Amino acid sequence: MYSTLLIAHSILRWLVMLSLLYSVYRGWQGISRQLGFTETDNSLRHWTATIAHTQLMLGIVLYTQSPMVKFYFSGYEDTSGEALFFGVIHIILMLVAIVIITIGSAKAKRQPADVQKFRTMLTYFSLGLLIIFIAIPWPFSPLAHRSLIRY
Ligand code: HEM
């Protein structure tokens, strides 16, 4: 169960990143070229937030199974480094990012003008993407590192 969840969580990270990147690109394109906010853009907004929510659900289940998190809460004195990262930093940053994405998605939906929809999506999703990028344990991250693909 733990390793299946970890593999799914690792793969889904790419979908989270790609959907956010594409939404940000569409937001920027929509503003600079004064495009209309189409049904496709609305679906992109909706699915980007949904993919992030799915990753959140997976993350919460993984949190209850992870030996790294169990070690963090074990009461062992030296819970710094990776245990601290997965026990506290990763979850807090990801929660903040997903709340920002959720607010941005809801706000964008309610904006009256198309340019405002694009701007809201661009602003909130960029901020969410930046926080998620910082909180992912990339092989080059100074906080904690994991491989790019897990199988
Ligand atoms: C967009 C949100 C998130 C992204 C992109 C993300 C990404 C990742 C990645 C890439 C890993 C490393 C997987 C590997 O070892 O191959 C990881 C591990 C982990 N994540 Fe997330 N995560 C997100 C949200 C969350 C949330 C909200 C939680 C907790 C509620 C969480 C809990 C964990 C845990 C417990 C681990 C594994 C620690 C271990 O046992 O090694 N993640 N995450």
Side-chain angles (χ1 to χ4, degrees):
M1 160 102 162
Y2 166 68
S3 58
T4 311
L5 281 171
L6 196 56
I7 290 170
H9 194 67
S10 176
I11 293 171
L12 199 59
R13 146 255 310 250
W14 294 109
L15 219 59
V16 170
M17 297 286 298
L18 286 175
S19 61
L20 279 169
L21 264 177
Y22 189 57
S23 298
V24 167
Y25 167 73
R26 272 303 292 178
W28 172 76
Q29 219 184 17
I31 295 167
S32 56
R33 289 168 50 185
Q34 300 189 339
L35 303 175
F37 196 84
T38 63
E39 259 316 301
T40 312
D41 293 316
N42 197 44
S43 294
L44 181 64
R45 171 199 64 75
H46 168 78
W47 282 106
T48 301
T50 304
I51 291 166
H53 290 156
T54 309
Q55 181 72 321
L56 170 68
M57 294 304 148
L58 263 180
I60 290 171
V61 183
L62 186 59
Y63 197 80
T64 66
Q65 305 292 317
S66 165
M68 196 59 99
V69 175
K70 284 188 182 132
F71 175 68
Y72 177 75
F73 288 105
S74 65
Y76 186 76
E77 276 182 19
D78 185 22
T79 47
S80 55
E82 297 219 334
L84 177 68
F85 176 79
F86 286 110
V88 181
I89 299 169
H90 184 73
I91 176 170
I92 289 181
L93 288 180
M94 291 309 192
L95 280 174
V96 169
I98 293 168
V99 166
I100 290 170
I101 290 165
T102 308
I103 294 172
S105 173
K107 277 191 167 231
K109 190 178 173 181
R110 283 162 185 76
Q111 294 302 320
D114 287 359
V115 68
Q116 287 172 284
K117 286 181 188 284
F118 280 126
R119 185 165 293 125
T120 308
M121 188 166 84
L122 173 68
T123 310
Y124 284 79
F125 285 16
S126 302
L127 188 57
L129 176 61
L130 177 70
I131 297 172
I132 287 174
F133 185 81
I134 292 169
I136 286 181
W138 300 109
F140 51 82
S141 169
L143 301 171
H145 15 265
R146 292 283 186 275
S147 55
L148 291 176
I149 297 169
R150 186 182 280 279
Y151 45 88

